Structures are given as structure tokens and as C-alpha cells.
């Protein structure tokens, strides 16, 4: 790993120089729309703003990938059933699971949401671990419940349990005197089916993230991601940005993580295969073992849908689908209020982590995604977001306080597509402003600068975010 550390340090210096250059951009320049700025996904961008805005194929879909997209869409959207079944290509659900299909959590390919207090977790789950690491440096699962609490089950197998969610209101005030409240979640495990969890249990609530643009994130060159990193905060701006190095089950070594709330998966294919196993109990060529711990005898003895339960061909199709879901174009991007909000977004420091623009590299098998100028507003790096957002659950090199900067493209259409505006990793923020106000740690300076803005300027920042 020494060469990786050296490369990261070198690229950190490069990032410092880039920040100095960016800071020289005039606010007047930021107030002008950029050429093709509305095309968040470059030539892949689709012009859609309806409730179906997140489930379109990339606009430049190639003939070679046409069938992959639509076959993959079928396996993404349709439910799996328990084995044995006449539908042999889709049986093997469970024995323990959280959803019967990918679309069960990624509704309309959009964001999940926490349940109402007292409700059942449908598009949100709880990751579990205990202190320590696996032989590959990953989280060490609870001896009885493993790495994820599965609240659903097939016939003859007990569910692992449920979680009750409630909130505590936290009051605050902007510098101009306007008041607000935030809601802090409280989780309580209940109806545990296999006895007590470890007394050292660590847990991390996570809502399902959006699907659009994932292939473009895969296509960003690693060197361009590392160029944003500043793990030792050389430029002294209070923001570090660290890569997460995670276990790659294909290369059998640690590589750069870029997917998941803590960047704990190195590739989109491994993210998809991991979700099949963890969320639906579907084994794959990458993860061939059922998701049962040694103490869950009925789970181990339950019938399965083959070995593996999803074939390599069908896993590739679902992976291709995830690569090829398009990012919608921005709306109102030339509006004066939106441009003012963009300038303020940069001025108060949000763009330090929410990197506006990349040019993708060459991604084998996906010519549509290669060489595109994209505007994801993420650096794909880990940042300390403070104690209030901490899950205190390490994940490879991510600490309990660190989260990957989420991309912001499409964020303004979540209300239209999913019928809610719940943001952050656990959906605690009820709107975009609350999401800003939850920023702590490396994000606290930007949050405090936002709190000093006039009400009109705060609204301009929100208008900008709603245009993404």
C-alpha cells in the first residue's frame, strides 16, 4: 500500500494547487451559466422531469448494450420468489431478506426513505458489526445476526427482528434570528428472532440511494478521484477528503472504494452482487454463500434456488442496467436566482467536497459512458461529518464519523419521483435545508457560513440545489 499512500500525497498537493486556481474564479463568472451546464451526465443526459425521470436509459445507449439494459431492468424490477418455484431464473429469495426486488428499495430508481415512527422498514436497512475486522479489513459481523438485520423471511425461517424508529426534535437558530428544528433519530431493536445481539453491537442505518449516474461514477478515473484527496489537510482549509481502500473480491486485494454510503464497494458489479445477497438473500458468482450465520440453523437448512441463485449472465445484465440509468438534465439552470445560489454554494465552501465537474475516462464495455463531461457534485471521498451524524461503525478505512460525499445530481427531482424530501444516509433531514444544517466535522464551516446568509441568500442556495 506504500505506493498508494505516496500517490495520494502527490495528488493532494495537486488538489491544493487546483483549489488555489478555483478560488481565483470571479463571482461574476460563477453567475454566468456554463456551456452545456444543464447536461449533468454529458451526452448521456436525458430530458425528463416526471415521476419516471430516474428510470430512463442513457440518451446515447449503444446497440450493443440495448438488450443488456432491458433484460437487466427486468431483473431489477420484478420480484424474486422463494425456492423451489417454477420460475427458476428468479427463485432463491431469502431465506432472510429485506426486500423481494431491487426496486422494492430503489422505488422508481430513486431514494429510499425511513418509515414513519412505528412503521416497518421498507426502503431502509440497518448494517451490523462488532469491534474488530475481518481478514480483509472489513467490518466484523455480529456472531448471531451477521452484517445486516433482515426483517423479512421465507416460510419456515424466523425473521431476525425489527427496529422501532422515533425522533427527538433539536432546536436551532440562524444568525438572522429565524428558528428551525431538526429531528434526531432514535433506533430500538425489537422482536429479535435469534436471541440477544452482542453487547458490543455497532449499527448503521442506511436508506437506499438513487440509481441514476452510477455508471458515470464508475467511469471516473481513479487518479482524478485521488487528486481531490487531502488526507493531511495540506491546504489547511479544514477539509481533508480520504479515499477508502476496500477488499475487491475479484482482484483479491484492496482497491479504491467508490460506491455505498461509506464507499465500501470498489465496483458497481460488486455493489450490485452485495445488495443481492445482503438485501434479498440471492447468492451470485461473486458471493456464493447464503447469508446465514452459524447460529441460524433453519436458515442454513432452507431450500435454495441453485448455486448460485443468480447466474453470471443475469448478474451482468443487472450490473449493466445500473451502469446505464441516465441522469436527468437540470431545470432552470439559467435562472438568475439559481445562478446566484450556485455562486453562494461555492463561496460558502460546499464545492470543496461536492466537486462540480469531472471528465470520465474510458470504461470497457460502455462506450456511452466514456469521455463524458459530467457534473455529479461529489468527490467520492470520505469526510468526517461530525459526531451528530456519526454511526460509530468503521467500514474498512472509513471511521465511524466518516461518510462518502454523495452525488447531488437529480436531487431536485426526489420529491417528484419518490414523493418525499428526506435526505442524508438515514433520511433524517426533511428537506435540503435540514441536510445542510446536519453538516458537522469537515462540513461545519460551510454550514456556519450558510447560517450567516440572509434568508434570501439561503433560499437561492436551495433553488440551486433544486435545479440539480
Amino acid at each position: 500500500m506504500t505506493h498508494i499512500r505516496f500517490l495520494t500525497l502527490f495528488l493532494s498537493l495537486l488538489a491544493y494547487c487546483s483549489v488555489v486556481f478555483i478560488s481565483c474564479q470571479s463571482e461574476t463568472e460563477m453567475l454566468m451559466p456554463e456551456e452545456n451546464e444543464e447536461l449533468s451526465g454529458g451526452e448521456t443526459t436525458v430530458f425528463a422531469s416526471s415521476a419516471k425521470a430516474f428510470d430512463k436509459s442513457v440518451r446515447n445507449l449503444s446497440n450493443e448494450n440495448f438488450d443488456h439494459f432491458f433484460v437487466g431492468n427486468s431483473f431489477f424490477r420484478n420480484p424474486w420468489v422463494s425456492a423451489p418455484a417454477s420460475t427458476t431464473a428468479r427463485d432463491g429469495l431469502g431465506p432472510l431478506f429485506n426486500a423481494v426486488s431491487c426496486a422494492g428499495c430503489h422505488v422508481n430508481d430513486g431514494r429510499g426513505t425511513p418509515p414513519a415512527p412505528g412503521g416497518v422498514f421498507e426502503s431502509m436497512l440497518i448494517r451490523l458489526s462488532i469491534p474488530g475486522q475481518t481478514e480483509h479489513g472489513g467490518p466484523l459481523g455480529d456472531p448471531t445476526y451477521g452484517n445486516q438485520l433482515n426483517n423479512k423471511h421465507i416460510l419456515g425461517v424466523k425473521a431476525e427482528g425489527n427496529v422501532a424508529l422515533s425522533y427527538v426534535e433539536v432546536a436551532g437558530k440562524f444568525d438572522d434570528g429565524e428558528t428551525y428544528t431538526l429531528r434526531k433519530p432514535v433506533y430500538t431493536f425489537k422482536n429479535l428472532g435469534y436471541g440477544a445481539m452482542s453487547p458490543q453491537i455497532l449499527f448503521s442505518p442506511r436508506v437506499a440511494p438513487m440509481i441514476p449516474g452510477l455508471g458515470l461514477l464508475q467511469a471516473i478515473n481513479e487518479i482524478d478521484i485521488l487528486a481531490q484527496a487531502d488526507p493531511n489537510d495540506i491546504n489547511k482549509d479544514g477539509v481533508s477528503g480520504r479515499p477508502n481502500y476496500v477488499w475487491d473480491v475479484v482482484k483479491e486485494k484492496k482497491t479504491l472504494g467508490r460506491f455505498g454510503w461509506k464507499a465500501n464497494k470498489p465496483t458497481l458489479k460488486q455493489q450490485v452482487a452485495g445488495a443481492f445477497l445482503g438485501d434479498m438473500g440471492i447468492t451470485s458468482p461473486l458471493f456464493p454463500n447464503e447469508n446465514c450465520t452459524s447460529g441460524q440453523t433453519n436458515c442454513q437448512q432452507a431450500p435454495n434456488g441453485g448455486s448460485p441463485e443468480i447466474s453470471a449472465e443475469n448478474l451482468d445484465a443487472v450490473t449493466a442496467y445500473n451502469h446505464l440509468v441516465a441522469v436527468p438534465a437540470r431545470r432552470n439552470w439559467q435562472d438568475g436566482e439559481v445562478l446566484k445560489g450556485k455562486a453562494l454554494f461555492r463561496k460558502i465552501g460546499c464545492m470543496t467536497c461536492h466537486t462540480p465537474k469531472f471528465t470520465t475516462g474510458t470504461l470497457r464495455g460502455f462506450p456511452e459512458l466514456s469521455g463524458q463531461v459530467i457534473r455529479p457534485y461529489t468527490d467520492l471521498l470520505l469526510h468526517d461529518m461530525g459526531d451528530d451524524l456519526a454511526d460509530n461503525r468503521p467500514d474498512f478505512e472509513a471511521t465511524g464519523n466518516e461518510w462518502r460525499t454523495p452525488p447531488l445530481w437529480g436531487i431536485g427531482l426526489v420529491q417528484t419521483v419518490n414523493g418525499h424530501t428526506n435526505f442524508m444516509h438515514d433520511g433524517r433531514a426533511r428537506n435540503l435545508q435540514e441536510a445542510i444544517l446536519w453538516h458537522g466535522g469537515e462540513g461545519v464551516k460551510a454550514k456556519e457560513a450558510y447560517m450567516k446568509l440572509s434568508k434570501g441568500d439561503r433560499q437561492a442556495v436551495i433553488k440551486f440545489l433544486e435545479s440539480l
Side-chain angles (χ1 to χ4, degrees):
M1 297 291 288
T2 303
H3 68 288
I4 294 176
R5 309 293 183 193
F6 178 79
L7 178 61
T8 301
L9 177 61
F10 170 76
L11 292 172
S12 298
L13 291 168
L14 186 61
Y16 171 66
C17 297
S18 299
V19 168
V20 171
F21 173 75
I22 291 171
S23 68
C24 294
Q25 283 187 288
S26 70
E27 289 191 27
T28 302
E29 187 178 352
M30 292 295 292
L31 287 170
M32 297 294 290
E34 301 170 43
E35 184 179 6
N36 295 326
E37 188 177 351
E38 77 277 26
L39 303 178
S40 298
E43 295 174 5
T44 73
T45 308
V46 293
F47 292 86
S49 56
S50 72
K52 297 293 185 182
F54 291 167
D55 69 357
K56 312 296 183 189
S57 71
V58 293
R59 185 159 48 99
N60 57 347
L61 183 65
S62 67
N63 291 333
E64 292 77 11
N65 280 326
F66 184 88
D67 288 345
H68 293 149
F69 179 84
F70 289 99
V71 172
N73 187 13
S74 172
F75 278 93
F76 185 91
R77 207 157 302 286
N78 292 316
W80 288 68
V81 297
S82 57
S86 57
T87 309
T88 55
R90 296 181 191 280
D91 71 342
L93 176 69
L96 297 166
F97 59 96
N98 295 95
V100 299
S101 69
C102 305
C105 291
H106 304 279
V107 178
N108 293 332
D109 288 3
R111 287 181 62 92
T113 186
V120 177
F121 280 50
E122 297 289 355
S123 56
M124 179 176 178
L125 54 81
I126 305 286
R127 291 280 172 80
L128 304 172
S129 63
I130 60 175
Q133 292 184 320
T134 66
E135 61 180 322
H136 300 309
L140 195 59
D142 177 83
T144 303
Y145 291 91
N147 289 298
Q148 184 167 313
L149 187 74
N150 294 126
N151 61 348
K152 297 175 183 173
H153 61 98
I154 65 171
L155 190 65
V157 178
K158 291 187 295 184
E160 291 188 315
N162 293 299
V163 179
L165 170 61
S166 60
Y167 292 100
V168 175
E169 294 287 331
V170 180
K173 185 185 295 183
F174 293 104
D175 283 24
D176 63 7
E178 182 177 330
T179 59
Y180 63 82
T181 61
L182 303 176
R183 59 175 188 174
K184 186 171 185 176
V186 178
Y187 302 93
T188 306
F189 293 105
K190 63 178 187 178
N191 303 325
L192 294 177
Y194 298 85
M197 293 178 173
S198 166
Q200 296 179 295
I201 194 70
L202 307 173
F203 66 92
S204 181
R206 301 179 187 187
V207 298
M210 294 163 47
I211 301 300
L214 294 180
L216 291 167
L217 299 182
Q218 181 76 77
I220 298 173
N221 285 323
E222 181 171 325
I223 194 171
D224 293 331
I225 296 172
L226 297 179
Q228 309 296 310
D230 185 14
N232 299 310
D233 194 18
I234 291 175
N235 62 8
K236 304 299 181 187
D237 65 352
V239 178
S240 59
R242 296 195 314 120
N244 196 3
Y245 287 101
V246 304
W247 185 251
D248 187 315
V249 299
V250 175
K251 296 180 178 178
E252 296 188 326
K253 65 178 184 179
K254 277 193 168 183
T255 59
L256 177 69
R258 61 176 81 197
F259 296 104
W261 286 105
K262 293 212 173 202
N264 65 350
K265 291 293 183 187
T267 67
L268 195 45
K269 184 172 184 176
Q270 291 180 49
Q271 174 73 12
V272 170
F276 264 112
L277 182 64
D279 302 352
M280 293 186 285
I282 306 295
T283 60
S284 68
L286 295 186
F287 300 109
N289 299 318
E290 290 285 0
N291 198 20
C292 309
T293 64
S294 58
Q296 295 172 329
T297 306
N298 55 0
C299 179
Q300 293 176 337
Q301 296 175 346
N304 62 52
S307 301
E309 292 167 326
I310 183 170
S311 67
E313 180 182 10
N314 290 337
L315 177 62
D316 284 345
V318 180
T319 302
Y321 175 76
N322 277 266
H323 275 84
L324 296 166
V325 176
V327 177
R330 288 183 57 191
R331 291 79 50 212
N332 307 318
W333 58 289
Q334 295 174 303
D335 180 90
E337 190 76 354
V338 170
L339 290 168
K340 176 184 175 183
K342 185 180 74 167
L344 288 167
F345 190 76
R346 181 189 69 87
K347 183 177 181 179
I348 64 177
C350 303
M351 289 187 188
T352 306
C353 303
H354 290 285
T355 305
K357 187 162 62 177
F358 284 97
T359 299
T360 62
T362 299
L363 187 61
R364 185 179 178 184
F366 296 97
E368 307 93 332
L369 309 177
S370 302
Q372 298 296 323
V373 177
I374 64 173
R375 293 172 171 79
Y377 286 90
T378 174
D379 59 8
L380 296 178
L381 296 172
L382 299 172
H383 295 274
D384 183 336
M385 294 300 292
D387 292 342
D388 286 339
L389 283 179
D391 63 1
N392 300 307
R393 178 181 182 271
D395 201 334
F396 289 98
E397 297 188 20
T399 69
N401 276 39
E402 289 181 316
W403 299 94
R404 185 204 66 165
T405 307
L408 299 182
W409 50 17
I411 199 169
L413 287 171
V414 171
Q415 170 76 70
T416 301
V417 173
N418 294 120
H420 68 79
T421 53
N422 297 324
F423 298 108
M424 310 303 285
H425 66 279
D426 54 7
R428 69 176 66 189
R430 291 166 290 196
N431 51 54
L432 291 168
Q433 178 159 276
E434 288 191 14
I436 295 171
L437 295 173
W438 272 112
H439 280 56
E442 295 175 38
V444 74
K445 286 175 63 177
K447 181 192 76 173
E448 290 175 350
Y450 177 81
M451 294 178 69
K452 288 182 170 64
L453 297 176
S454 68
K455 184 168 185 176
D457 285 351
R458 295 198 299 269
Q459 290 174 337
V461 173
I462 300 303
K463 284 281 187 186
F464 163 67
L465 293 172
E466 290 174 342
S467 78
L468 296 177

